Each structure stands twice: as structure tokens, then as C-alpha cells.
């Protein structure tokens, strides 16, 4: 299987020196990492061209989880397609539902009631926390720290309980929908949620002491897989990965949707070592910063949620006239800030109830494109550190 | 091309003797975990012993296995209007409608097959149903030995209703069929229909 994947486009610049050291000629070996590798976070296969411990090239192979999600969108009315968007980025279902719902609303000119908007913001930020908890837990797991994973999942389980209380599902929510949200918050949910935030905020210090500032972890993740600012922009990276490289770009700030302009929050970016809490030896754009931006984003999400919960407006949760929706002739492209980056939906309407074309721009897919550039001339043990810091969800890469 | 002045040389931080040993780091981590251990010894644990213990789900909203409700006379409440199968994004509901043997509605389902393997548990059938006949229950452990077993027919769906009605009463028991709306032309009463189905 391995012999079919050598690609001629590999730059050969450094090879001759490496191949002949003294009178010893080293030999390259192709290693398949995945698709069943525990630290590729799903069915990602990375073919590594190795020279001893050194990785000369890492070629990602995707497509194991392709489920024709875009094609399904062209055979179903938008409200029926909402459950399928859950299954793209299955760790952030709320954000995906919200993205597609906003796209259809912009196309049809539907006004979403303020209460529905606030509920959507609460849930998408909540889902961001849940998703980042998985990201940091599994990243610790990749680095050999098992304990933070259990703590992260314990807290995530509580978030899922709150999701279940509101919408009846723990993973595939289909809760934000075209025109608003599907059901109102149950009695006492806001109080329970505030209680949870009260409980959760000090836990972040726990993760920091346990993992983020732990010297063993810092040594493992700092100065590894550095992505420069220019590269990050050139490869179209978005989300925490872009911000870790020092670009202050967040769609919630620069292009607010669903009333994000009302909330006060910061956009954390990667910091060089020695600034503030950042440990020594850390570089802007390395794995540690990619990890730590997520931790800081959780704190900001808590801030947004507190504000949204405090001033939750009364009123309808669904816009009027969304039953028997006919999509007007026209097209729309909407991007929102997913936990992993910018998730875009393109919807082309042709006057019928079913879109003529649905296209999804997955953040994980675009973020994965830089892997070949970053995971080059690194040690074999750094490859899981680099892939893990991207936090890819294969359901969204393949769609 | 990268200019020389753009290249930032990073020096490895000089480690103190304590840092180089890594033992203080390990102990620092252990301090937190032992603190958690001490807490979990005094308080109840986070995990549950499934299947002896089961997770409590919120029964009113949980989207689990479906059921077909019975009306107050024990008949199937469904009026075979095909709204659920139209609303279903996964196309998993298959209904065969027949003339109703009862007076208060025109049609009833002769066959009502629901493929639980195709179902994505989105709850749209429940939203679409005009008579609140199909509902999603709080049962989340659904097993079968074959694919055929996972296609639940009308009797099995009614059996789930009988099993779960104690824990989750029917949402709106007053709505059954079209009786009471006044719009329906009165059909001749049938006498040979079964009492309950």
C-alpha cells in the first residue's frame, strides 16, 4: 500500500546531504500513520516519508468519511438539511446549524427575533467551550497526559447535560434552525447554566496548572510546528490556528452575526514566550500557542455567555413565515466563526423549496492543507503534536 | 525569499537544576490530581455503573426511540396523514393507509414501519404530527440482532407506548383524529372494524 503514494513534487533540496553521511547511506521509509491511528483524531491517513527519526514529508490522505453532505443538501429543503449539518463537525453541532441557518435566512430575508439570536449565541459559545474541552483533552492525550482528558470530559458531560435539557440531544442537536431555534429554554435553564459557569471558570486554572504551564508539556509543544503569520494567511488558515500565529482576526468581531456586536469580549492571540503567563521557550505560532489560544477562548466564551444570559430578551423564538419556505432566485455565502475556524455555507436558490447548490467550506479542511508545509523536517514524535494542535474533525474535512 | 533580519533565532531557555529533574513538575501535577482524588473519595463519583445504573435523561424532550401513541380508547392515534414521513429528512417512515374502521376519522395506518437504523433522531416527525400520535421517548438503548429487527412495525411502536406511557404521558391526549373540528363529512359508521389496533 505504501509504494503507491510517492509523489514527484517533493522538493529534493536537502536530500543528497542527508542520504550520504560519511560512507553511510541512509534509506527513506514510507510510514502510514492512520487511518486508524489514535492521534490522528479520526480517519486521517498521513503518509510519512521518513529518514530514521526525521520526517521529510507528511502527505495527508483524506476522504475516508465522505458522506456526500453537500449533495444531500441539494435534495432536501433547508429545514430538513439542518440535521445533516450537525454531522459535519460533530463536536460543534450548534455552530454548524447556526451557520447554515444564517445562510438561508440571509438568502430569504428572514428576520430572526432577538431572543432567538441571543439563545443561538449562548449555545454556540457553549458549544465552543465543549469543543475546546475536547481539543485540549485530546491534545493532552496525544502528548501523553491522560488526566486532563478525563477532567475535560467530565466538564463537557455537564455541558451536554444542559444541551440535552434544552433540545433533547447530546451530540446532534439540530437546535438552531432556519428562522430561530426549535424550542424555548426550559424553566430554570438559565440559572443552571450560570451555576455551571460559576463551577467551570475556576477549572480552567486547574487545566492550566495541570497541563498548560506544566514544564513537561511546554517542552513538548513549544517551538514545534511553527507557522508564521504570512504562511497562516497564505494557506487560508482560520480560527485558533490563525490567531495563534499572531493574527487578530475573528469573524465575531470583524463581521458580526446574530448580534455579536452587542457583547464585549477580547480576541486572544498567540504570545511569544516570557510575556505574561506564557512560559519561556514558546514561539508565536507554535503548537503550545495553538493549544493555549483555545484555553483563552474558553474564558472569552464564558464572558459572552454571562452577558447574553444576563440580558436575555423576551419574545418569540421563531421568525414568522418560515413554513413552506421557497428559496428566491439568488445566491448567498455566509461564514461564521466555528470553534475550528471559519465555516462557510454557500446556498444557491432557484425559486423552489430545495436549493440548487449547497457548498460548505470546512475550517478543518483548509487548516489541514498546511500540514505538509509544517510537518516537514521534524522528528517523528512531533508529528502527533502538530496534527493534534490543529484539532481537525474528520467529519468536516471529508463532509 | 526571507531576509536575514526577519529570521528570529530562538534560544533554548536555560533550565535550572530543579527544572531539569522534572520531578517538581510531576509532583505539581500529582498535587492537583491527588486533591481531586481526595474530593472524589468524600463526594459521589462522576461515573455511573451502566447498565445497572442508568443515566437520567430529561423525559419530556429527549429524542430517543419513537412510539406510536394510543388514544383514550386504546386505538392507534395515527390518522395516516403522511405528514411525518414527508417531514422526515432521512426517509425512514413508511406508512400504508387504509380506510378507518372507526367513526371519528377517515384513515388509519394499516402498516406503519419505522426504520430505526435510517432514523437520525431529529424529532421532526414529532413536530410535524398534527394529532401528536408519533413521539420520541426517553429510551436510548435500542438493540437488535438483525437489520430487519430494527425496522419497527406498528405493534412494536405501540408496545413502546405501553412501556413508556407511565414515565412520559402523551403530550396532548385530547387530540385524536379529526373529530371535534366539525369540518369532516360524517361517514357511515362501520360495524365490522376491530375495537382496538
Amino acid at each position: 500500500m505504501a509504494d503507491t503514494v510517492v509523489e514527484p513534487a517533493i522538493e529534493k533540496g536537502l536530500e543528497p546531504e542527508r542520504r550520504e553521511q560519511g560512507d553511510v547511506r541512509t534509506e527513506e521509509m514510507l510510514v502510514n500513520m492512520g487511518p486508524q491511528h489514535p492521534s490522528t483524531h479520526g480517519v486521517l491517513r498521513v503518509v510519512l516519508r521518513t529518514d530514521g527519526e526525521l520526517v521529510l514529508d507528511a502527505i495527508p490522505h483524506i476522504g475516508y468519511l465522505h458522506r456526500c453532505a453537500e449533495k444531500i443538501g441539494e435534495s432536501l429543503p433547508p429545514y430538513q438539511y439542518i440535521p445533516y449539518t450537525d454531522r459535519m463537525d460533530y463536536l460543534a453541532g450548534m455552530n454548524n446549524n447556526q451557520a447554515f441557518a444564517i445562510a438561508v435566512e440571509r438568502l430569504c430575508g428572514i428576520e430572526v427575533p432577538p431572543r432567538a439570536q441571543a439563545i443561538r449565541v449562548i449555545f454556540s459559545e457553549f458549544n465552543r467551550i465543549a469543543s475546546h474541552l475536547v481539543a485540549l483533552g485530546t491534545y493532552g492525550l496525544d502528548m501523553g497526559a491522560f488526566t486532563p482528558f478525563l477532567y475535560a470530559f467530565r466538564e463537557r458531560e455537564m455541558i451536554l447535560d444542559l444541551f440535552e435539557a434544552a433540545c433533547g440531544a447530546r451530540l446532534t442537536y439540530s437546535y438552531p434552525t432556519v428562522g430561530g431555534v426549535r424550542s424555548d429554554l426550559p424553566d430554570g435553564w438559565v440559572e443552571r447554566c450560570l451555576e455551571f459557569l460559576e463551577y467551570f471558570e475556576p477549572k480552567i486554572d486547574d487545566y492550566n496548572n495541570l497541563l498548560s504551564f506544566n514544564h513537561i508539556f511546554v517542552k513538548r509543544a513549544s517551538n514545534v510546528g511553527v507557522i508564521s503569520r504570512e504562511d497562516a494567511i497564505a494557506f487560508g488558515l482560520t480560527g485558533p490556528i490563525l490567531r495563534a500565529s499572531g493574527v487578530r482576526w475573528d469573524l465575531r468581531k470583524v463581521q458580526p452575526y446574530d448580534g455579536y456586536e452587542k457583547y464585549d469580549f477580547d480576541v486572544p492571540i498567540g504570545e511569544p514566550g516570557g510575556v505574561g503567563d506564557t512560559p519561556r521557550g514558546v514561539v508565536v505560532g507554535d503548537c503550545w500557542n495553538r493549544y493555549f489560544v483555545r484555553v483563552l477562548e474558553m474564558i472569552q466564551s464564558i464572558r459572552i455567555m454571562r452577558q447574553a444570559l444576563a440580558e436575555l430578551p423576551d419574545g418569540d423564538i421563531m421568525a414568522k413565515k418560515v413554513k413552506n419556505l421557497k428559496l428566491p432566485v439568488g445566491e448567498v455565502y455566509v461564514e461564521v466563526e466555528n470553534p475550528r475556524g471559519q465555516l462557510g455555507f454557500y446556498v444557491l436558490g432557484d425559486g423552489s423549496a430545495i436549493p440548487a447548490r449547497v457548498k460548505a467550506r470546512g475550517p478543518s479542511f483548509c487548516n489541514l492543507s498546511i500540514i505538509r508545509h509544517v510537518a516537514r523536517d521534524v522528528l517523528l514524535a512531533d508529528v502527533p503534536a502538530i496534527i493534534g494542535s490543529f484539532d481537525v474533525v474528520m467529519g468536516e474535512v471529508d463532509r | 525569499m526571507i531576509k536575514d533580519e526577519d529570521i528570529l533565532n530562538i534560544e533554548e531557555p536555560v533550565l535550572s537544576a530543579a527544572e531539569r529533574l522534572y520531578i517538581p513538575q510531576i509532583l505539581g501535577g500529582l498535587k492537583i490530581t491527588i486533591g481531586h482524588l481526595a474530593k472524589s473519595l468524600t463526594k459521589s463519583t462522576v461515573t455511573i455503573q451502566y447498565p445497572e445504573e442508568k443515566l437520567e435523561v430529561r423525559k419530556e424532550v429527549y429524542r430517543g426511540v419513537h412510539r406510536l401513541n394510543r388514544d383514550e380508547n386504546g386505538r392507534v392515534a395515527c390518522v395516516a396523514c403522511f405528514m411525518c414521513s414527508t417531514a422526515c429528512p432521512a426517509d425512514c417512515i413508511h406508512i400504508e393507509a387504509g380506510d378507518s374502521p372507526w367513526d371519528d376519522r377517515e384513515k388509519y395506518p394499516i402498516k406503519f414501519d419505522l426504520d430505526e437504523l435510517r432514523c437520525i433522531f431529529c424529532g421532526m416527525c414529532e413536530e410535524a404530527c398534527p394529532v401528536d400520535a408519533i413521539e420520541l421517548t426517553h429510551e436510548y438503548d435500542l438493540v437488535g440482532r438483525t437489520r430487519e429487527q430494527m425496522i419497527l412495525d406498528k405493534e412494536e411502536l405501540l408496545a413502546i407506548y405501553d412501556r413508556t406511557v407511565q414515565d412520559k404521558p402523551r403530550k396532548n391526549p385530547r387530540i385524536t383524529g379529526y373529530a371535534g373540528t366539525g369540518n369532516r363529512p360524517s361517514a357511515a359508521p362501520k360495524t365490522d372494524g376491530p375495537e382496538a389496533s
Side-chain angles (χ1 to χ4, degrees):
Chain A
M1 205 165 167
D3 55 344
T4 57
V5 292
V6 190
E7 287 180 24
I10 298 163
E11 289 138 74
K12 304 256 175 185
L14 289 165
E15 276 170 54
E17 288 167 39
R18 213 172 258 145
R19 286 202 160 181
E20 279 164 43
Q21 291 172 340
D23 56 349
V24 182
R25 192 168 179 276
T26 57
E27 210 165 292
E28 284 176 11
M29 196 167 103
L30 285 176
V31 180
N32 267 310
M33 185 177 160
Q36 303 290 341
H37 195 278
S39 72
T40 55
H41 295 226
V43 281
L44 171 66
R45 179 162 71 105
V46 185
V47 177
L48 305 173
R49 204 158 61 86
T50 57
D51 182 354
E53 273 287 286
L54 209 60
V55 175
L56 303 180
D57 200 7
I59 308 154
H61 286 248
I62 60 170
Y64 290 90
L65 209 58
H66 183 65
R67 292 153 300 172
C68 314
E70 291 177 5
K71 199 72 197 162
I72 293 171
E74 291 157 27
S75 56
L76 288 176
Y79 77 94
Q80 286 191 353
Y81 185 54
I82 290 279
Y84 287 94
T85 60
D86 275 328
R87 275 117 180 124
M88 286 185 188
D89 184 351
Y90 40 77
L91 291 179
M94 295 283 184
N95 304 66
N96 287 24
N97 297 158
Q98 188 192 21
F100 185 68
I102 291 175
V104 176
E105 283 154 12
R106 295 246 173 105
L107 181 64
C108 302
I110 296 168
E111 282 281 314
V112 182
R115 184 177 172 85
Q117 281 193 341
I119 292 178
R120 274 191 200 175
V121 167
I122 292 166
F123 277 95
S124 68
E125 291 308 316
F126 219 5
N127 212 163
R128 193 183 310 276
I129 296 175
S131 172
H132 284 345
L133 278 175
V134 178
L136 77 90
T138 51
Y139 194 49
L141 209 58
D142 288 348
M143 306 281 94
F146 194 80
T147 321
F149 172 76
L150 297 176
Y151 291 147
F153 263 63
R154 182 187 59 188
E155 266 77 76
R156 178 171 176 264
E157 204 61 22
M158 295 175 181
I159 299 178
L160 296 193
D161 280 343
L162 282 164
F163 282 167
E164 185 210 300
C167 69
R170 298 176 74 85
L171 196 67
T172 50
Y173 314 108
S174 312
Y175 181 60
T177 187
V178 179
V181 290
R182 268 172 68 178
S183 57
D184 210 339
L185 298 176
D187 294 337
W189 193 89
V190 175
E191 289 74 30
R192 268 182 73 188
C193 188
L194 285 169
E195 219 169 87
F196 170 78
L197 293 181
E198 213 52 55
Y199 161 84
F200 177 67
E201 208 169 7
K203 296 282 168 201
I204 293 177
D205 294 335
D206 241 16
Y207 306 140
N208 283 343
N209 293 332
L210 205 55
L211 191 62
S212 313
F213 301 137
N214 188 304
H215 191 64
I216 302 166
F217 175 73
V218 173
K219 282 284 275 180
R220 189 86 164 72
S222 63
N223 205 4
V224 169
V226 183
I227 302 175
S228 72
R229 215 182 133 93
E230 289 75 21
D231 279 348
I233 296 170
F235 276 85
L237 305 189
T238 48
I241 303 180
L242 177 71
R243 292 190 278 276
S245 292
V247 186
R248 210 178 281 276
W249 178 267
D250 190 320
L251 277 189
R252 292 172 292 170
K253 275 277 188 225
V254 295
Q255 195 182 301
Y257 51 91
D258 269 353
Y260 265 110
E261 65 276 4
K262 284 185 285 190
Y263 307 111
D264 177 33
F265 64 101
D266 299 326
V267 179
I269 58 167
E271 303 280 0
V275 177
D277 288 340
T278 325
R280 290 180 300 153
V282 167
V283 187
V284 174
D286 65 354
C287 290
W288 191 87
N289 260 318
R290 284 199 281 279
Y291 158 86
F292 197 60
V293 160
R294 294 197 174 93
V295 177
L296 297 176
E297 273 186 20
M298 291 202 293
I299 299 170
Q300 297 304 321
S301 291
I302 293 173
R303 269 180 76 187
I304 299 174
M305 282 185 70
R306 284 232 169 92
Q307 293 167 48
L309 286 167
E311 47 202 55
L312 191 63
D314 287 330
D316 289 337
I317 51 154
M318 269 302 259
K320 289 176 183 70
K321 288 191 259 177
V322 282
K323 288 268 145 70
N324 302 322
L325 194 68
K326 285 264 189 296
L327 298 174
V329 181
E331 55 185 10
V332 69
Y333 180 68
V334 172
E335 282 194 341
V336 304
E337 190 73 32
N338 214 34
R340 263 153 276 279
Q342 280 165 223
L343 173 74
F345 272 106
Y346 169 81
V347 183
L348 176 69
D350 61 351
S352 68
I354 296 168
R357 177 83 175 95
V358 172
K359 159 96 180 87
R361 179 235 188 253
S364 298
F365 176 70
C366 298
N367 292 347
L368 197 62
S369 67
I370 203 170
I371 208 165
R372 212 170 157 186
H373 182 77
V374 178
R376 165 175 295 176
D377 297 329
V378 293
L379 291 176
L380 198 54
D382 288 338
V383 174
I386 293 169
I387 297 174
S389 73
F390 286 175
D391 185 30
V392 289
V393 167
M394 291 314 286
E396 182 188 64
V397 173
D398 297 334
R399 294 193 287 277
Chain B
M1 220 30 227
I2 306 170
K3 279 175 269 164
D4 275 353
E5 63 262 29
D6 288 344
I7 295 173
L8 188 73
N9 283 317
I10 288 122
E11 279 170 28
E12 283 273 303
V14 185
L15 302 183
S16 64
E19 278 177 325
R20 226 171 307 146
L21 271 174
Y22 289 99
I23 289 170
Q25 310 299 325
I26 295 170
L27 292 179
L30 277 179
K31 203 178 84 190
I32 298 169
T33 44
I34 288 170
H36 279 285
L37 174 73
K39 251 183 262 170
S40 69
L41 284 178
T42 52
K43 275 194 294 183
S44 59
T45 47
V46 179
T47 49
I48 57 160
Q49 298 297 319
Y50 186 84
E52 285 82 21
E53 269 179 86
K54 279 197 175 183
L55 195 66
E56 270 297 307
V57 296
R58 200 163 158 261
K59 295 191 170 90
E60 312 90 78
V61 292
Y62 192 79
R63 303 206 299 255
V65 186
H66 310 69
R67 71 182 191 194
L68 262 183
N69 288 339
R70 293 179 191 275
D71 62 9
E72 59 279 5
N73 298 330
R75 306 170 302 182
V76 60
C78 174
V79 293
C81 68
F82 291 89
M83 292 281 268
C84 51
S85 63
T86 312
C88 180
D91 192 23
C92 71
I93 306 176
H94 304 285
I95 308 172
E96 214 172 277
D99 282 332
S100 158
W102 311 300
D103 201 20
D104 58 351
R105 66 192 79 165
E106 272 170 36
K107 287 197 281 180
Y108 87 117
I110 298 174
K111 272 176 82 176
F112 193 105
D113 290 345
L114 207 152
D115 192 341
E116 298 283 357
L117 290 177
R118 270 193 84 98
C119 176
I120 58 174
F121 299 96
C122 62
M124 287 189 185
C125 46
E126 187 177 348
E127 273 180 27
C129 185
V131 293
D132 286 338
I134 188 164
E135 270 178 18
L136 275 74
T137 62
H138 50 275
E139 280 194 10
Y140 52 82
D141 43 355
L142 177 70
V143 286
R145 284 174 183 276
T146 58
R147 284 170 186 274
E148 287 71 36
Q149 269 182 18
M150 299 295 280
I151 302 174
L152 301 187
D153 62 16
K154 190 170 73 172
E155 270 63 45
E156 281 162 318
L157 289 165
L158 286 168
I160 295 172
Y161 171 78
D162 297 336
R163 196 157 73 221
T164 54
V165 69
Q166 292 300 325
D167 291 330
K168 180 182 174 173
R170 197 178 155 200
K171 215 189 297 171
N172 198 344
R174 281 175 295 110
I175 310 176
T176 47
Y178 297 133
T181 58
N183 299 331
R184 192 182 151 267
S186 59
K190 297 187 183 70
T191 48
D192 54 349
E195 270 304 298
S197 178

